[in-house]
Amino acid sequence: MKLALPSPVEQVHDERLSVHLLLKRDDLIHPDLPGNKWRKLKYNLATAREQGHDTLLTFGGAYSNHLRATAAAGHLFGFHTIGIVRGEEHLPLNPVLRFAVDRGMKLSYVDRSAYRLKQPPPGDYYLIPEGGTNSLAVKGVAELAAELDPYDYVCVAVGTGGTLAGLAHGLKTGRALGFAVLKGGGFLHDAVAELLPEPRDNWAIDTSFHFGGYAKCPPELLAFVEDFRARHGIALDPIYTGKMMYGIYALDARGFFAPGATVCAVITG
Ligand SMILES: Cc1ncc(COP(=O)(O)O)c(C=O)c1O
């Protein structure tokens, strides 16, 4: 299996910016294991193998990129996979779940209240938490930081906080800046602090660019994503990287960054 590592870094030329903006193209690592998915799964797969497991079990919503990536990883690395899906089965399967099933994932549906408890069923498997975030994921994402030249800021979108924690852990210089994609992301600060193997003060989370909540994509955000694609040929996803990039442009317009600062945005998927 071919992984594009280290992933490339590209410069963005945009006269509207006062900073130097670079993109860490982790989305190019592998078509089915893009971005933070490979980084988070890498050491989990190795540990599952070391512990003699032949099955991976994880959780996700019906549109979970993490569920999709776990199914792909199982297929590529020779594990059975079980996906616990939030909600009821809807047929025909949506493209994410169709992909997972086509890669051999067995799906099991649980209602929302049961899902909240994240109670794993009995059985012999390696458990990967929702979103793939755990200490081994943080270790994998820290390798992303090690691939980077020194920048003033390295930016990521934040869902569960695992990617930001790995980045903050791995960075030797500069600051890690996360953009929360969900509403009420105040709890994420504690989540990231808890995931860090040792305390760091090189990171922060901006919670003001959630656009109404997870998976909420108002026209202003979609217009920004489309304009970015037209100008730079890069398709940001409106759920994660689009919100991060919007936030970077907005903070720059407000003078948050020193003029001429180097800002590296991680394209995590
Ligand atoms: C493309 C993309 N970027 C960023 C994130 C956020 O990652 P984390 O949950 O580690 O905060 C996710 C979620 O997994 C994602 O799919």
Side-chain angles (χ1 to χ4, degrees):
M1 194 189 55
K2 187 94 187 71
L3 295 168
L5 288 169
S7 63
V9 174
E10 297 169 358
Q11 198 163 351
V12 174
H13 299 280
D14 195 322
E15 73 285 352
R16 297 171 299 172
L17 289 169
S18 78
V19 296
H20 295 293
L21 179 62
L22 301 109
L23 306 181
K24 175 68 170 164
R25 296 293 308 273
D26 261 17
D27 54 315
L28 301 178
I29 290 177
H30 186 278
D32 293 338
L33 299 171
N36 62 351
K37 300 295 167 291
W38 167 249
R39 307 271 186 198
K40 288 173 157 191
L41 284 170
K42 176 180 172 182
Y43 289 108
N44 278 293
L45 296 173
T47 303
R49 180 85 78 217
E50 269 164 39
Q51 294 178 352
H53 290 287
D54 64 3
T55 302
L56 310 172
L57 180 142
T58 197
F59 297 87
Y63 288 89
S64 162
N65 288 331
H66 163 69
L67 215 57
R68 186 187 196 279
T70 304
H75 180 69
L76 291 165
F77 292 92
F79 291 97
H80 303 294
T81 52
I82 301 171
I84 310 287
V85 186
R86 182 179 57 227
E88 288 165 21
E89 183 179 33
H90 292 287
L91 295 174
L93 293 176
N94 72 40
V96 171
L97 297 183
R98 179 79 262 160
F99 174 96
V101 168
D102 287 348
R103 299 297 178 289
M105 182 173 259
K106 289 201 176 65
L107 301 180
S108 169
Y109 295 85
V110 297
D111 67 43
R112 280 157 201 277
S113 50
Y115 184 87
R116 230 171 278 131
L117 301 174
K118 306 275 175 346
Q119 203 64 29
D124 182 14
Y125 51 73
Y126 181 85
L127 179 69
I128 302 177
E130 187 180 35
T133 287
N134 59 11
S135 59
L136 292 171
V138 170
K139 179 177 171 188
V141 176
E143 293 180 353
L144 149 66
E147 289 176 17
L148 296 172
D149 290 334
Y151 299 115
D152 296 313
Y153 287 91
V154 183
C155 299
V156 285
V158 180
T160 61
T163 307
L164 178 60
L167 188 61
H169 179 54
L171 279 183
K172 299 268 181 290
T173 62
R175 292 185 64 73
L177 179 58
F179 292 87
V181 302
L182 29 93
K183 201 168 164 175
F187 73 94
L188 286 167
H189 197 273
D190 286 350
V192 172
E194 213 158 286
L195 284 162
L196 278 165
E198 55 203 28
R200 301 288 313 258
D201 60 3
N202 63 344
W203 60 280
I205 304 178
D206 189 305
T207 56
S208 55
F209 296 102
H210 57 72
F211 285 92
Y214 182 75
K216 293 275 187 333
C217 307
E220 188 187 1
L221 174 63
L222 295 177
F224 174 82
V225 165
E226 174 49 27
D227 178 66
F228 195 87
R229 191 200 57 73
R231 286 173 192 258
H232 304 299
I234 292 181
L236 303 170
D237 78 89
I239 298 178
Y240 290 101
T241 55
K243 290 180 181 177
M244 165 193 68
M245 196 63 74
Y246 188 104
I248 292 171
Y249 273 70
L251 288 183
D252 187 45
R254 263 183 234 162
F256 173 85
F257 303 110
T262 51
V263 177
C264 179
V266 185
I267 308 300
T268 38

